[in-house]
């Protein structure tokens, strides 16, 4: 249920509500990287109020300089569309990401009748961040037919399988996540690839739609 200061797509004055996404803050431990994005809601950036914090926890040590706005914006687009909020990044993303996100929104809008394609605002990047010279291919891997076929068909080309929990497997479903993770690790071992396990709290965010 939305609280007293969140009134769906518009505020008291009839201005469109915007979901503002602030730049990531990273916390590195011995074995993991935690990435946190503060989310604010309001009709404009100066009056937007803290809504929640989106978190990703990755079982790899990552360079914070290579972590941008893209993971948060991609994860939050269905959230914004379902709530009929516009989506606003307060820091640039890599060049070319905006059109991809807009196409993602267009497809989702045609698929879900009660969603609204939002206005997506991303400041232009002056220069894309420098990436490590050694880069490998990775695939999102659910264990389903499509991702399994891709992993087998491109055997030898893929370095890592990315297993994401927090969407279909909700944050509280720890036993399900462990069972799926063990199975995916076994498949990855057979295929000679690593597993990047990413956990997110996106479905635990306040106001996240129950039917998505």
């Amino acid at each position: 249920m939305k609280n007293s200061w969140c009134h769906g797509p518009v505020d008291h004055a009839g201005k469109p509500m915007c979901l503002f996404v602030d730049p990531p803050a990273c916390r590195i431990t011995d074995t993991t990287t935690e990435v946190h994005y503060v989310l604010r809601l309001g009709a404009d950036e100066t009056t937007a109020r803290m809504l929640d914090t989106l978190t990703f926890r990755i079982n790899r040590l990552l360079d914070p300089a290579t972590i941008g706005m893209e993971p948060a914006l991609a994860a939050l687009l269905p959230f914004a569309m379902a709530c009929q909020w516009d989506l606003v990044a307060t820091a640039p993303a890599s060049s070319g990401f905006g059109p991809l996100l807009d196409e993602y929104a267009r497809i989702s809008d045609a698929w879900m009748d009660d969603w609204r394609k939002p206005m997506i605002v991303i400041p232009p990047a002056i220069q894309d961040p420098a990436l490590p010279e050694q880069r490998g291919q990775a695939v999102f891997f659910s264990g389903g037919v499509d991702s399994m076929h891709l992993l087998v068909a491109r055997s030898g080309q893929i370095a890592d399988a990315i297993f994401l929990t927090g969407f279909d497997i909700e944050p509280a479903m720890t036993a399900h996540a462990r069972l799926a993770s063990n199975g995916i690790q076994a498949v990855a071992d057979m295929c000679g690839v690593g597993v990047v396990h990413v956990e997110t709290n996106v479905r635990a965010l306040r106001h996240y739609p129950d039917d998505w």
Side-chain angles (χ1 to χ4, degrees):
M1 180 178 295
K2 299 188 187 329
N3 58 32
S4 60
W5 60 276
C6 173
H7 294 269
V10 297
D11 67 1
H12 290 293
K15 296 179 181 178
M17 293 289 276
C18 300
L19 181 63
F20 292 93
V21 185
D22 289 336
C26 298
R27 178 175 176 266
I28 310 295
T29 68
D30 291 339
T31 58
T32 63
T33 302
E34 290 186 6
V35 187
H36 304 276
Y37 297 86
V38 170
L39 310 180
R40 295 177 293 124
L41 187 66
D44 57 73
E45 188 172 356
T46 57
T47 60
R49 296 173 59 178
M50 170 85 176
L51 177 71
D52 218 325
T53 301
L54 172 66
T55 299
F56 294 96
R57 188 170 183 268
I58 306 119
N59 68 334
R60 292 286 179 91
L61 300 181
L62 303 179
D63 180 357
T66 65
I67 300 172
M69 300 295 289
E70 295 83 0
L73 296 173
L76 291 169
L77 181 60
F79 181 28
M81 293 186 71
C83 294
Q84 300 186 27
W85 300 331
D86 291 331
L87 185 61
V88 182
T90 61
S94 56
S95 60
F97 181 74
L100 291 175
L101 197 65
D102 191 69
E103 178 65 8
Y104 172 21
R106 185 191 65 78
I107 294 171
S108 299
D109 183 50
W111 177 34
M112 302 293 283
D113 293 336
D114 55 346
W115 287 15
R116 177 180 68 85
K117 185 177 181 294
M119 180 176 67
I120 301 172
V121 180
I122 304 175
I126 298 175
Q127 182 177 359
D128 285 342
L131 297 175
E133 292 184 4
Q134 295 183 345
R135 301 173 62 188
Q137 293 186 26
V139 295
F140 282 96
F141 189 73
S142 66
V145 173
D146 293 335
S147 57
M148 183 73 74
H149 171 75
L150 185 60
L151 195 64
V152 172
R154 297 194 179 181
S155 177
Q157 302 176 39
I158 295 171
D160 293 296
I162 302 172
F163 174 51
L164 178 64
T165 58
F167 283 93
D168 292 341
I169 301 178
E170 298 181 30
M173 300 168 66
T174 54
H176 293 77
R178 184 166 55 252
L179 180 64
S181 180
N182 290 341
I184 284 174
Q185 185 66 62
V187 171
D189 290 343
M190 287 188 291
C191 294
V193 301
V195 176
V196 179
H197 188 181
V198 181
E199 303 171 62
T200 180
N201 70 333
V202 65
R203 285 193 61 153
L205 297 176
R206 288 197 299 160
H207 311 308
Y208 200 85
D210 293 333
D211 60 348
W212 175 251

